[in-house]
Amino acid sequence: MEDIEAIAALQDPVRRRLYEYVVAQGREVGRNEAAEAAGVARTLAAHHLDRLAEAGLLESGSRRLTGRSGPGAGRPAKVYTRARGERTVSLPARDYRTAAELLAEAAEEAGLDAGLCAAARRRGEALRGAAPCGGLDEAAEMLAARGYEPYLAGAEEAAGAAWRVVRMRNCPFHAVAERFPPLVCGMNLALLEGLLGTDGPVRARMDARPGECCVVVEDSKN
């Protein structure tokens, strides 16, 4: 019932806009910033942000947004970030997570990594269709549609060359990946290789960072 109540808190359109804005930033967001982004008064934004924190969808804290400390730095402001916990609703109750963990455990013990990756790559190809992904912008749209929450991290440089990189704030397989990281991260990479194609203008590769998906997507010509 707690998950149902938490998700129901997003029914209010203003609250939903505030939640989506905070989540999309990938950092702490203050009340003034959130209010401006949602186009509402600060007091209304504060009310809804606190309701989201009470529902367990956001976490709140306080810090000085000026970046200064000491006398004259101002009082700490309340800030919000996405809560680390997951919320799911299934009526009637289903437990696909336990099934996924059991299957992952069995696959890992049997050394079925290669077979799992091959199946994941085939699934990605089936989802994509015949043509490879047309570019990084199209790749970001495809990733967003599958819940990866992609964002353009900017240009990265190596050997004097620069190229664009898309990182992802969410891993759709996070719960299982935490218990079986090599198996599930390898599966994830293979799935995205199949989905985006390996002979087009973009490529997927492993580049794990804390709190983000283990895979990044970048221009292939670098």
Side-chain angles (χ1 to χ4, degrees), residues 133-144 150 152 164 166 196 201-202 217-219:
C133 176
L136 210 57
D137 293 335
E138 182 181 337
E141 292 179 4
M142 296 169 70
L143 294 167
L152 184 63
R164 295 189 302 161
V166 168
L196 303 174
V202 301
V217 178
E218 63 187 10
D219 295 318

Side-chain angles (χ1 to χ4, degrees), residues 11-186:
Q11 184 175 1
D12 183 278
V14 173
R15 199 172 298 158
R16 178 72 173 266
R17 291 202 305 272
L18 288 164
Y19 174 78
E20 290 176 345
Y21 179 78
V22 172
V23 166
Q25 304 317 300
R27 56 173 172 78
E28 293 177 329
V29 174
R31 288 172 167 175
N32 288 340
E33 179 186 348
E36 183 176 352
V40 298
R42 182 184 184 280
T43 52
L44 181 60
H47 166 73
H48 285 304
L49 289 166
D50 285 339
R51 286 290 303 276
L52 289 166
E54 291 168 6
L57 295 171
L58 297 180
E59 293 179 357
S60 63
S62 61
R63 67 176 178 87
R64 287 188 173 90
L65 298 178
T66 61
R68 296 179 296 164
S69 60
R75 297 175 58 188
K78 200 163 187 179
V79 293
Y80 303 84
T81 56
R82 174 163 48 187
R84 288 183 288 269
E86 296 181 10
R87 299 288 183 173
T88 58
V89 174
S90 177
L91 298 174
R94 298 287 189 260
D95 190 3
Y96 299 114
R97 176 174 173 175
T98 296
E101 290 177 347
L102 289 171
L103 290 168
E105 183 177 353
E108 189 172 76
E109 290 179 353
L112 299 178
D113 304 55
L116 177 62
C117 288
R121 192 170 288 107
R122 289 194 299 270
R123 175 59 63 90
E125 291 169 351
L127 292 169
R128 166 171 55 89
C133 176
L136 210 57
D137 293 335
E138 182 181 337
E141 292 179 4
M142 296 169 70
L143 294 167
R146 303 201 63 81
Y148 282 91
E149 298 182 8
Y151 69 97
L152 184 63
E156 296 192 2
E157 293 190 24
W163 63 94
R164 295 189 302 161
V165 175
V166 168
R167 295 187 176 274
M168 295 164 268
R169 291 193 174 95
N170 183 50
C171 171
F173 317 109
H174 173 73
V176 187
E178 276 195 317
R179 288 196 58 191
F180 308 95
L183 180 76
V184 178
C185 291

